[in-house]
Amino acid sequence: PPRATAAAPSTDEAIAILIGLAAEMYGFKDDQGEPANVTARTFGLVAPVNLYTAFSSAAARFLNSTGGDSDLTAQRFRFDVYLEPRLTSTTVVYPFVADAVSKGLILQSEVEPTVEVDNSDWIKNRRQLVKAYASRRVAPGDFRKICKATLS
């Protein structure tokens, strides 16, 4: 069989990567030095087009395994894999904790920018305060709930 690469891992390699990513995220600490993701059972993985098949096959294989013979099933957690065609790197994935109260990814809605003008200081000091706000796309949220993983 052809040798797998970082840009095209086999399903078995993808399973090993998922286990390693979950273990790494379980090790993140909160501001008190306690495990931040100890209750996590569901993880998400945002993957580019070339990695989607391997990781979605790996996630489906352990999710649908019967008898608890899969390494991932034995760990009692699961991964949901999300395809993101806008990712440009062929060896980078973004794992996140999907079942936490604070979210690893913040989905921002695209809205028209709003502008506020405060004239209360204009008469006395000839100053005017202007605030502008716009919201766009997706951004990392809680840094303990998401990370960037480069495959090698």
Side-chain angles (χ1 to χ4, degrees):
R3 186 171 175 213
T5 65
S10 68
T11 302
D12 288 337
E13 288 173 325
I15 287 175
I17 291 166
L18 292 177
I19 292 170
L21 292 172
E24 185 68 26
M25 295 188 81
Y26 276 126
F28 291 171
K29 305 285 186 199
D30 63 15
D31 58 352
Q32 302 296 313
E34 297 294 325
N37 297 320
V38 71
T39 61
R41 293 293 176 260
T42 304
F43 295 88
L45 183 80
V46 180
V49 173
N50 65 300
L51 295 174
Y52 179 76
T53 301
F55 282 104
S56 61
S57 295
R61 191 165 112 190
F62 80 82
L63 184 63
N64 296 325
S65 69
T66 57
D69 58 350
S70 165
D71 289 337
L72 292 174
T73 303
Q75 299 299 323
R76 294 194 183 111
F77 57 79
R78 72 169 219 217
F79 267 89
D80 296 322
V81 182
Y82 301 94
L83 174 63
E84 180 47 71
R86 291 180 191 91
L87 293 178
T88 56
S89 175
T90 59
T91 59
V92 172
V93 293
Y94 297 88
F96 62 94
V97 177
D99 58 358
V101 174
S102 61
K103 299 302 179 189
L105 289 172
I106 299 171
L107 302 176
Q108 300 174 331
S109 61
E110 295 208 15
V111 296
E112 291 295 320
T114 59
V115 178
E116 293 179 26
V117 179
D118 182 359
N119 290 324
S120 62
D121 203 29
W122 178 253
I123 295 173
K124 184 177 179 185
N125 297 318
R126 295 203 174 263
R127 289 189 302 187
Q128 191 170 36
L129 178 63
V130 177
K131 298 178 196 174
Y133 174 77
S135 177
R136 303 279 189 260
R137 301 199 181 196
V138 176
D142 185 342
F143 66 92
R144 293 172 299 245
K145 307 296 180 197
I146 186 169
C147 61
K148 176 181 177 180
T150 302
L151 308 179
S152 58

